[in-house]
Amino acid sequence: MTNLFDTFAAVAATFATRPAVVVCGRAAADTIAYGELRNLAERTAGLLASAGARHGTRCAILADNDARWLAAYLGILRLGAVAVPLDTAYR
């Protein structure tokens, strides 16, 4: 069965050098290509797996809304784990 990560990985393989995410900062925009985003997601999945995460594990994401957040989300999905986004603005 194809899941969201599998679909993303297929797109990343086809359009590896095209922009996937553009994060606008105060001074400039930071562009992350599909291939780079996939590599970040794979690295995140590897780090989580080495920490004991596996299919069904709940993984919290507490980060600013940027490309790294998306890489963490995709890395969690890569493992078949469950992403639990937390709001950084919540007090």
Side-chain angles (χ1 to χ4, degrees):
M1 176 189 287
T2 300
N3 61 27
L4 181 62
F5 182 83
D6 294 335
T7 302
F8 164 74
V11 170
T14 303
F15 303 108
T17 60
R18 290 192 184 174
V21 179
V22 178
V23 179
C24 296
R26 291 182 182 183
D30 187 23
T31 302
I32 305 295
Y34 278 99
E36 184 179 356
L37 183 58
R38 181 177 180 180
N39 288 339
L40 289 171
E42 293 283 358
R43 285 182 31 210
T44 301
L47 289 170
L48 290 170
S50 69
R54 62 185 192 283
H55 188 274
T57 301
R58 291 181 295 271
C59 301
I61 304 174
L62 181 61
D64 291 331
N65 190 10
D66 63 11
R68 291 179 303 254
W69 188 101
L70 184 53
Y73 180 78
L74 290 167
I76 291 166
L77 296 183
R78 169 73 175 87
L79 292 177
V82 179
V84 182
L86 301 174
D87 186 352
T88 58
Y90 186 69
R91 303 272 179 227

